[in-house]
């Protein structure tokens, strides 16, 4: 919440939250299983702490991501599960409508995947810069879905990213501890991202948007 003290090790808090969510996924994987919306959206809101560590250039990305997460938190007062918001929007033909809960779920899922890709890039090469890792991750995960103007703005913002050492300081991690936490997040978020994709795919909704 606004004004709350940042946790001592925000990355560990995020990793633990997503490990908790990943154990809640219904293993039927038929796309109808129930993942509760409230704990899911609360875990997603923790990710914004990481954005704070990337610096002011990505304030707009943080606001964009937070507005989508806050919509899901609000929706959790009405809908119990992720699949129930899909059901609602399918019935109302509003899955892809701007501002719908289903569309915002799709956007939040992009954010989770972006962070996962960034961590994978970070771990894959010790001599690439944070800018290189973030540029590659963004190009893989988000760029295909973003308009040219947004891609340009994000590309410009990449130059303002901190160095890896600065990031470690802000995250309160060491070279070794950060790897462990990133791996925990990668492993926990993978089935969650797959689960969300399957919510759409099992209802014959493509993911090309
Ligand atoms: C983990 C950090 C990696 C490096 C930084 C990469 C910066 C990504 C910047 C993303 C900017 C998004 C700008 C706005 C995009 C909107 O057009 C779309 C569509 O919104 P709609 O039309 O449905 O209202 N929004 C999105 O695609 C949401 C994207 C969220 C992903 C960025 C947040 C990542 C959150 C992780 C926090 C560390």
């Amino acid at each position: 919440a606004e004004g709350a003290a940042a946790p001592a090790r925000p990355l560990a808090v995020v990793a633990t939250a997503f490990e908790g969510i990943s154990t809640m996924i219904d293993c039927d994987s038929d796309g109808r299983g129930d993942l509760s919306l409230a704990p899911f959206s609360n875990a997603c809101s923790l990710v914004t702490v990481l954005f704070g560590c990337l610096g002011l250039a990505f304030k707009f990305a943080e606001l964009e991501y937070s507005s989508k997460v806050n919509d899901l938190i609000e929706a959790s007062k009405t809908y119990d599960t992720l699949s129930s918001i899909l059901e609602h929007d399918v019935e109302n033909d509003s899955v892809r409508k701007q501002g719908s809960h289903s569309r915002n779920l799709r956007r939040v899922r992009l954010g989770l995947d972006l962070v996962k890709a960034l961590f994978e890039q970070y771990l894959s090469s010790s001599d690439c810069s944070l800018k290189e890792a973030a540029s590659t991750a963004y190009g893989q995960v988000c760029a295909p879905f973003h308009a040219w103007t947004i891609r340009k703005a994000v590309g410009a913002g990449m130059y303002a990213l901190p160095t890896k050492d600065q990031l470690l300081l802000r995250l309160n991690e060491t070279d070794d501890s950060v790897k462990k936490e990133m791996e925990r997040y990668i492993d926990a978020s993978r089935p969650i991202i797959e689960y969300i994709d399957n919510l759409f795919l099992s209802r014959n909704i493509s993911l090309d948007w």
Side-chain angles (χ1 to χ4, degrees):
E2 198 69 41
R9 291 182 62 230
L11 200 48
V13 174
V14 169
T16 302
F18 280 90
E19 282 175 352
I21 299 299
S22 70
T23 64
M24 294 166 62
I25 292 179
D26 185 328
C27 297
D28 291 348
S29 72
D30 60 354
R32 314 275 150 170
D34 286 340
L35 179 56
S36 291
L37 186 53
F40 169 79
S41 45
N42 285 323
C44 292
S45 74
L46 297 173
V47 175
T48 45
V49 180
L50 304 181
F51 240 125
C53 300
L54 296 176
L56 270 178
F58 285 104
K59 193 69 193 170
F60 77 101
E62 180 184 345
L63 292 173
E64 164 68 18
Y65 175 80
S66 297
S67 73
K68 267 60 177 178
V69 171
N70 287 338
D71 174 71
L72 296 183
I73 291 175
E74 193 59 32
S76 71
K77 295 171 184 166
T78 312
Y79 302 94
D80 282 341
T81 63
L82 270 62
S83 51
S84 62
I85 63 175
L86 260 287
E87 292 297 343
H88 172 86
D89 283 321
V90 167
E91 273 169 34
N92 289 276
D93 199 19
S94 50
V95 171
R96 291 169 68 151
K97 193 177 163 212
Q98 188 160 28
S100 78
H101 299 317
S102 298
R103 176 157 164 156
N104 288 336
L105 173 62
R106 173 101 185 104
R107 301 304 181 219
V108 168
R109 173 250 180 259
L110 274 185
L112 300 183
D113 202 8
L114 175 66
V115 175
K116 173 171 164 286
L118 173 69
F119 290 175
E120 285 169 345
Q121 287 300 319
Y122 188 105
L123 295 176
S124 72
S125 159
S126 53
D127 49 38
C128 79
S129 65
L130 190 61
K131 174 182 171 289
E132 286 168 325
S135 301
T136 303
Y138 177 78
Q140 281 174 359
V141 173
C142 291
F145 304 103
H146 284 167
W148 182 84
T149 44
I150 290 175
R151 297 201 306 270
K152 276 286 163 201
V154 170
M158 292 292 176
Y159 290 94
L161 281 174
T163 64
K164 279 183 169 176
D165 285 343
Q166 286 168 329
L167 181 69
L168 289 181
L169 274 176
R170 292 177 194 175
L171 289 173
N172 210 10
E173 300 286 349
T174 65
D175 231 0
D176 285 334
S177 71
V178 82
K179 289 179 181 153
K180 193 181 124 239
E181 303 306 343
M182 285 181 174
E183 273 161 12
R184 286 175 65 208
Y185 174 85
I186 290 167
D187 290 344
S189 64
R190 186 179 296 115
I192 299 168
I193 290 165
E194 257 174 45
Y195 173 85
I196 297 170
D197 284 350
N198 199 41
L199 286 176
F200 291 91
L201 293 173
S202 67
R203 292 172 175 83
N204 290 320
I205 302 162
S206 67
L207 300 175
D208 55 352
W209 51 287

